[in-house]
Amino acid sequence: MDIYSQILNRYWGFSSFRPLQEEIIRSVAEGRDTLALMPTGGGKSLTFQIPALMSEGICIVVTPLIALMRDQVENLVKRGIKALAVYSGMSRAEIDIALDNCVYGDYKFLYVSPERLGTEIFRERVKKMKVILVAVDEAHCISQWGYDFRPAYLQIVSLRELLPGVPVLALTATATADVVDDIQQKLSFSAPNVIRTSFERKNLHYLVEATEDKHRKLLDIISCIPGSGIVYARSRRKTAELARFLSNNRIRATFYHAGLPSSSRTARQNDWMKGRARVIVATNAFGMGIDKSDVRFVIHFDLTDTLEAYFQEAGRAGRDGKVAFAVLLYDESDSSNAAKRVAMKFPEKQVIKQVYQSLGSYYQIPYGGGKGTILEFNIADFASRYKLNVMTAWYSLKALETEGYIELTDEINSPPKIHFTVSRDELYRFQVANAAFDGFIKLLLRTYSGVFSGFSAIDEDFLARKTRTDRDVVYRYLVRLNNLNIIKYIPQRRSPLLIMNTERLDANSLYISSSDYRIRKERYMSKLMSVVRYASSSGNCRSVMLLDYFDEKDVPRCGNCDVCRKEDSSGVGRVEFDLIRSSIQEIIRHGNYTPDELPAKTDFPPEKTIKVIRWLLDNGQLERGEDGFVRWRE
Ligand code: ADP
Ligand code: MG
């Protein structure tokens, strides 16, 4: 067994590699900058984890989602591999300790959110680390032409300057040709080097259902496909509504969106993973990092913003390789709604400025101040206070984030903290006067040093055990001490954070580049139109259309999508169709023919050949030149 397989086996217990994993690992191990394109679930993580385990030193992994970062760290730690994470929202002291561990503590993996890369504290420590590899997950985020641009990703290249000679492995599941080029350029690849697997999913049957009654259709489809599935809907409200609709029709369904408390999200996700709910109706917040292989269908109730997103979400079906369905429900109003969506996603600049000002007064940040402040953020509260539409507020903030003014994080779980705000003498007098608290205070002082100089994170379960009570009692003690002004107590929270990257500016100084904003808007529109085209066309194999979008040309018709099935019923079987198609391709490679001359040149029945030629011309695979001859379209 070679060294790669040994590591695969030893740490993960897998017996063989998936397609291209080994090739990517080898490329990285040879020190080459590498861009790997693999569909979701293809096994990208191992391609940086294994090379990092092979040599001495640490691998820095840049990844955008904090929740995912933690999953991966936990996963590695479970296998006895030393890994940790540094992300926005951790306190400076926490970051300090984590980075020290990476310098002195033989850690193998440091997961970091891109926003941290530019900070001085990070850059100073990185210089002292023995970095052997930089992995950039979700690398399409570096491209403004991609569908999920994150400005902080542009800082990765400055990391390269600190780490000359260290190879970079960029990973993504979706990238069109221009994005593939852009990623390599933005990461300063020393030489172009792309390794990609085909995105063809043979077991996935793509269907578009044009219907006047999406509810009815949804029910029909779910009733005839056994097994579990996901239904994606655009709005949070709709996820609840559809789940109720399904439940009323005796289909066990739950729903999921980012507005639910995280305990409830975990519970719902588990219900679905374990089969207690057959269907989960969710917004696009659901799915990343979820590893359920026997999903039999993914149904989209609404159009996605991009085909990249559609492909990712639909691709969650059938990871076990068995037949699965990706269904898109479509009605006439979808294309007119698309236009409204553009307007909502790209608020007028005036609106963005107004939201920015409201943000300043919401947090009472003085002009010229506030840089670097970390704030808890509740969008619903903010929007209602300033009478803003929540969506408008949200997309304005997103625009401000893209411009680098602010940063929004996922929900972050922060531990409870305490700080003694009285002097030791005062505390002593308090203990004497309040004997009931004496034992508890002594326990705090014994367990947590440094509580006089600043906040310390505490473990309420531990305190409960030590005092032989429960968490509720501990909580009440702490609240009492807080109200008596002995300590400052910050209870445990889970909340998204908003970080001010720059000092507060007045409305005139806030700059939003008109041309960039316009280009982004146009890109967004054209991507959305690709989705509308996908949904409304009825002449192209769905799989061919999707793959063509990702610049995979010359792929055979899938034979399984709604279009292919319709072709079949028109009299040309799918195997026959593909045979005729390749025969035509061969013939016109060697000579010039008009469409009328072609049928006689093949060995197939002319009436069928004519049908196939018609279809190929209609669907743009064949074209007729000005000279009248047909040509294969590149
Ligand atoms: P991606 O990042 O490409 O979406 P992941 O790295 O999260 O995919 O891997 C998806 C799943 O496939 C994980 O559960 C992983 O353990 C599993 N996996 C990866 N490589 C292999 C392999 N060679 N053999 C078996 N399972 C694998
Ligand atoms: Mg991944």
Side-chain angles (χ1 to χ4, degrees):
M1 223 194 305
D2 64 15
I3 171 94
Y4 306 141
S5 309
Q6 278 173 26
I7 295 178
L8 179 72
N9 198 274
R10 170 155 155 230
Y11 288 101
W12 282 274
F14 299 145
S15 52
S16 62
F17 281 105
R18 297 244 182 94
L20 291 193
Q21 277 180 328
E22 233 177 328
E23 196 176 331
I24 298 165
I25 293 168
R26 184 156 294 128
S27 167
V28 171
E30 285 165 2
R32 287 191 285 153
D33 294 336
T34 307
L35 169 57
L37 272 90
M38 254 189 194
T40 309
K44 287 187 286 298
S45 317
L46 286 183
T47 62
F48 60 82
Q49 289 167 342
I50 290 183
L53 288 170
M54 285 179 1
S55 38
E56 200 183 312
I58 190 166
C59 169
I60 296 180
V61 188
V62 183
T63 176
L65 283 179
I66 296 171
L68 243 111
M69 200 182 277
R70 290 175 162 178
D71 277 359
Q72 292 225 359
V73 167
E74 265 173 39
N75 229 309
L76 289 165
V77 170
K78 226 167 46 197
R79 298 174 201 284
I81 300 165
K82 290 176 92 172
L84 51 75
V86 165
Y87 44 86
S88 307
M90 279 167 71
S91 72
R92 201 190 147 89
E94 287 171 301
I95 293 179
D96 236 13
I97 294 168
L99 292 177
D100 264 349
N101 276 325
C102 295
V103 178
Y104 306 108
D106 70 349
Y107 271 76
K108 289 305 302 178
F109 296 94
L110 166 60
Y111 282 77
V112 56
S113 57
E115 290 80 8
R116 297 300 95 200
L117 298 173
T119 58
E120 203 44 41
I121 165 172
F122 185 82
R123 299 172 63 82
E124 281 310 311
R125 300 305 173 79
V126 161
K127 287 189 213 154
K128 297 188 190 143
M129 293 178 204
K130 183 173 165 37
V131 180
I132 44 175
L133 174 64
V134 176
V136 181
D137 209 357
E138 313 293 344
H140 56 270
C141 293
I142 205 170
S143 175
Q144 267 177 292
W145 319 139
Y147 72 108
D148 193 12
F149 172 56
R150 302 200 177 216
Y153 261 64
L154 295 172
Q155 298 179 20
I156 300 174
V157 72
S158 72
L159 190 61
R160 298 214 71 170
E161 287 152 20
L162 297 178
L163 303 168
V166 175
V168 168
L169 171 59
L171 302 154
T172 176
T174 50
T176 48
D178 48 352
V179 174
V180 165
D181 291 340
D182 204 23
I183 292 173
Q184 297 179 81
Q185 196 201 329
K186 292 274 171 22
L187 288 173
S188 294
F189 269 36
S190 52
N193 181 23
V194 183
I195 300 178
R196 62 186 301 168
T197 55
S198 168
F199 281 47
E200 191 179 0
R201 293 283 311 272
K202 291 204 167 80
N203 63 319
L204 206 54
H205 296 200
Y206 296 103
L207 309 176
V208 174
E209 294 281 357
T211 171
E212 299 280 274
D213 184 352
K214 289 191 178 183
H215 284 78
R216 181 79 252 154
K217 199 84 206 173
L218 181 69
L219 211 52
D220 288 350
I221 296 168
I222 295 179
S223 309
C224 71
I225 308 174
S228 73
I230 309 173
V231 175
Y232 280 108
R234 278 195 78 75
S235 74
R236 295 175 177 184
R237 196 170 34 78
K238 214 184 239 167
T239 62
E241 186 242 304
L242 289 176
R244 202 171 340 106
F245 168 73
L246 292 175
S247 301
N248 289 342
N249 285 282
R250 289 188 298 282
I251 289 166
R252 279 172 296 119
T254 184
F255 66 97
Y256 182 108
H257 58 70
L260 295 166
S262 87
S263 54
S264 152
R265 271 186 285 164
T266 312
R268 285 156 191 267
Q269 185 179 318
N270 281 335
D271 282 347
W272 178 74
M273 297 284 288
K274 302 257 156 61
R276 288 189 291 270
R278 180 155 92 89
V279 177
I280 190 159
V281 188
T283 60
N284 62 4
F286 180 78
M288 264 230 214
I290 283 168
D291 202 7
K292 183 169 167 65
S293 65
D294 60 350
V295 179
R296 293 275 67 84
F297 57 88
V298 171
I299 302 174
H300 280 78
F301 201 82
D302 302 298
L303 300 189
T304 53
D305 285 353
T306 63
L307 280 181
E308 284 95 327
Y310 181 70
F311 185 79
Q312 286 249 14
E313 290 164 11
R316 297 194 173 117
R319 297 236 195 114
D320 55 8
K322 298 182 189 151
V323 170
F325 296 85
V327 189
L328 178 59
L329 301 179
Y330 177 70
D331 69 28
E332 287 300 312
S333 67
D334 282 329
S335 46
S336 51
N337 287 339
K340 288 190 204 130
R341 222 192 271 180
V342 177
M344 183 184 72
K345 286 237 165 177
F346 290 87
E348 295 295 325
K349 271 173 42 180
Q350 218 32 54
V351 175
I352 300 174
K353 290 191 171 185
Q354 185 202 332
V355 168
Y356 181 80
Q357 290 312 331
S358 304
L359 199 62
S361 49
Y362 184 63
Y363 288 114
Q364 303 182 338
I365 299 168
Y367 286 101
K371 182 175 177 180
T373 333
I374 300 176
L375 303 151
E376 274 186 56
F377 186 62
N378 179 329
I379 179 89
D381 183 60
F382 171 68
S384 84
R385 183 92 66 87
Y386 293 91
K387 305 207 168 22
L388 296 161
N389 172 302
V390 174
M391 284 297 149
T392 311
W394 177 252
Y395 288 112
S396 300
L397 291 168
K398 279 289 164 195
L400 290 166
E401 187 174 37
T402 305
E403 295 291 334
Y405 291 113
I406 62 166
E407 185 190 329
L408 294 160
T409 72
D410 326 347
E411 185 176 88
I412 288 176
N413 186 357
S414 55
K417 295 185 179 116
I418 56 165
H419 174 200
F420 277 84
T421 48
V422 291
S423 70
R424 283 178 194 272
D425 284 348
E426 286 166 317
L427 181 61
Y428 180 72
R429 283 197 291 280
F430 175 82
Q431 282 170 280
V432 172
N434 300 273
F437 282 107
D438 188 49
F440 187 65
I441 290 175
K442 282 191 176 132
L443 173 64
L444 290 177
L445 296 177
R446 238 190 355 260
T447 318
Y448 306 105
S449 55
V451 280
F452 280 101
S453 48
F455 280 100
S456 298
I458 57 170
D459 178 346
E460 293 176 349
D461 285 322
F462 173 82
L463 294 172
R465 278 198 305 279
K466 282 289 177 187
T467 49
R468 293 177 209 286
T469 52
D470 56 35
R471 269 180 79 146
D472 270 352
V473 176
V474 169
Y475 174 78
R476 265 175 290 166
Y477 269 149
L478 293 166
V479 170
R480 281 285 298 285
L481 287 173
N482 182 75
N483 295 346
L484 291 165
N485 293 322
I486 302 300
I487 63 170
K488 241 186 134 30
Y489 168 52
I490 305 175
Q492 173 164 21
R493 309 162 292 187
R494 292 164 185 276
S495 155
L497 300 176
L498 186 146
I499 298 157
M500 299 290 292
N501 284 341
T502 57
E503 62 282 359
R504 182 178 177 188
L505 304 166
D506 62 55
N508 294 330
S509 319
L510 188 77
Y511 177 73
I512 292 163
S513 151
S514 289
S515 58
D516 284 1
Y517 195 63
R518 204 193 59 238
I519 292 172
R520 271 200 293 278
K521 184 169 174 176
E522 281 164 7
R523 292 256 168 189
Y524 174 80
M525 268 197 292
S526 94
K527 282 179 182 294
L528 192 55
M529 288 331 291
S530 303
V531 183
V532 173
R533 259 199 309 282
Y534 174 82
S536 57
S537 102
S538 52
N540 275 315
C541 163
R542 307 285 174 198
S543 167
V544 168
M545 265 188 105
L546 285 171
L547 295 172
D548 180 70
Y549 183 77
F550 293 112
D551 297 291
E552 249 180 271
K553 309 293 179 194
D554 285 331
V555 269
R557 299 194 314 138
C558 71
N560 294 318
C561 71
D562 57 302
V563 178
C564 287
R565 291 206 200 150
K566 228 172 11 223
E567 292 308 319
D568 299 347
S569 61
S570 79
V572 185
R574 55 177 186 255
V575 175
E576 212 172 1
F577 185 100
D578 283 343
L579 287 173
I580 296 175
R581 179 177 177 272
S582 56
S583 149
I584 291 171
Q585 208 172 353
E586 193 55 31
I587 292 165
I588 59 179
R589 209 194 322 269
H590 298 295
N592 289 330
Y593 302 98
T594 65
D596 299 337
E597 292 164 357
L598 264 180
K601 293 279 161 193
T602 71
D603 302 328
F604 297 92
E607 68 285 0
K608 288 189 177 172
T609 312
I610 290 168
K611 273 188 184 149
V612 174
I613 294 169
R614 194 61 297 136
W615 192 91
L616 293 172
L617 283 168
D618 287 348
N619 291 287
Q621 297 200 4
L622 271 182
E623 67 186 358
R624 200 176 171 158
E626 284 180 5
D627 49 11
F629 300 134
V630 288
R631 257 184 293 278
W632 203 253
R633 255 190 80 204
E634 291 311 323

